[in-house]
């Protein structure tokens, strides 16, 4: 199974499958017969090295400069292939928490990254920093996510049983200069979670 990323599977390559997912958008809940486990990111396909948190402008995120109460979209794992890197399952909301939730700390505790794939029907949610919001919101059916935990607290995703009420997440470390790195994840519900499926909140 470790070669799944390059092998054909039932006539459908992983790359084709990912392109299909991008095209299908929110409609994939209709396809329970698809062997998602063969295609979703997993340890055999992910680098075991930590990688830089690269922001959309190409720079590496740094605790000294990334604004408080702010988010950007990051891609993980990045392949360098624009078609693959555009896939929803590689997109994460990289959030620096608002000050009142601890975002002013000059270390990794200020940061979160959650899969953007909503746990309800796989629309893409985002973080809204406005006063009175400061939460993740999904535009499709109104699920809302707590930025400190990644757990849904309103809308249909909040009604789903654990682990499908809490988003997959990435973990970080910062170096001596404040630059942020993604630590190698473990894709399991008791670890970093499973994208589009969820995570048991610890
Ligand atoms: S897909 Fe996000 S609330 Fe339905």
């Amino acid at each position: 199974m470790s070669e799944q990323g390059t092998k054909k599977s039932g006539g459908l390559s992983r790359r084709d499958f990912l392109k299909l997912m991008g095209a299908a958008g929110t409609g994939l809940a209709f396809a329970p017969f698809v062997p998602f486990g063969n295609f979703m990111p997993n340890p055999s396909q992910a680098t075991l090295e930590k990688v830089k948190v690269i922001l959309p402008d190409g720079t590496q995120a740094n605790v000294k400069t990334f604004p408080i109460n702010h988010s950007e979209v990051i891609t993980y794992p990045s392949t360098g292939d624009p078609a693959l890197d555009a896939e929803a399952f590689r997109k994460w909301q990289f959030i620096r928490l608002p000050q009142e939730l601890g975002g002013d700390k000059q270390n990794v505790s200020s940061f979160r990254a959650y899969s953007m794939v909503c746990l309800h029907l796989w629309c893409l949610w985002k973080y809204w920093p406005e006063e009175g919001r400061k939460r993740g919101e999904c535009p499709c059916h109104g699920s809302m996510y707590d930025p400190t935990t990644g757990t849904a607290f309103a809308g249909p995703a909040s009604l789903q049983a654990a682990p499908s009420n809490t988003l997959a997440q990435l973990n970080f470390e910062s170096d001596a200069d404040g630059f942020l790195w993604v630590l190698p994840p473990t894709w399991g519900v008791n670890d970093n979670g499973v994208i589009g499926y969820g995570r048991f909140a610890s």
Side-chain angles (χ1 to χ4, degrees):
M1 295 297 284
S2 62
E3 296 172 344
Q4 196 65 50
T6 54
K7 276 185 177 174
K8 295 277 184 182
S9 178
L12 184 71
S13 74
R14 180 166 184 270
R15 191 173 190 282
D16 289 341
F17 176 82
L18 291 170
K19 288 169 77 174
L20 178 67
M21 288 211 300
T26 63
L28 283 164
F30 63 72
F33 52 86
V34 173
F36 288 107
N38 290 351
F39 297 104
M40 287 183 174
N42 64 53
S44 67
Q45 294 161 8
T47 174
L48 296 178
E49 304 290 324
K50 63 184 183 182
V51 297
K52 296 176 179 179
V53 177
I54 299 296
L55 300 174
D57 66 2
T59 64
Q60 184 176 5
N62 190 298
V63 297
K64 299 173 186 170
T65 56
F66 196 89
I68 293 171
N69 188 33
H70 181 72
S71 72
E72 298 282 354
V73 178
I74 62 171
T75 302
Y76 183 89
S78 178
T79 66
D81 178 326
L84 289 178
D85 286 355
E87 291 303 331
F89 273 47
R90 297 179 189 274
K91 297 303 178 188
W92 303 79
Q93 281 282 295
F94 177 70
I95 301 167
R96 185 165 192 162
L97 297 170
Q99 184 172 358
E100 63 270 31
L101 297 180
D104 55 346
K105 306 276 191 312
Q106 295 300 312
N107 56 52
V108 290
S109 71
S110 293
F111 294 86
R112 301 288 189 278
Y114 301 114
S115 166
M116 289 182 69
V117 178
C118 180
L119 296 170
H120 179 223
L121 289 175
W122 292 11
C123 285
L124 296 187
W125 65 276
K126 62 171 274 194
Y127 179 70
W128 291 87
E130 287 79 0
E131 205 53 49
R133 294 173 89 171
K134 298 185 179 179
R135 62 197 178 205
E137 297 181 13
C138 180
C140 288
H141 315 100
S143 289
M144 296 185 188
Y145 293 96
D146 182 332
T148 61
T149 61
T151 298
F153 64 88
S158 71
L159 303 177
Q160 297 176 163
S164 291
N165 61 352
T166 302
L167 297 157
Q169 69 177 359
L170 299 175
N171 297 324
F172 307 103
E173 70 176 25
S174 62
D175 62 24
D177 296 318
F179 287 106
L180 287 160
W181 301 74
V182 180
L183 296 173
T186 299
W187 303 123
V189 293
N190 292 306
D191 294 293
N192 291 82
V194 175
I195 297 166
Y197 181 67
R199 169 175 60 92
F200 285 111
S202 52

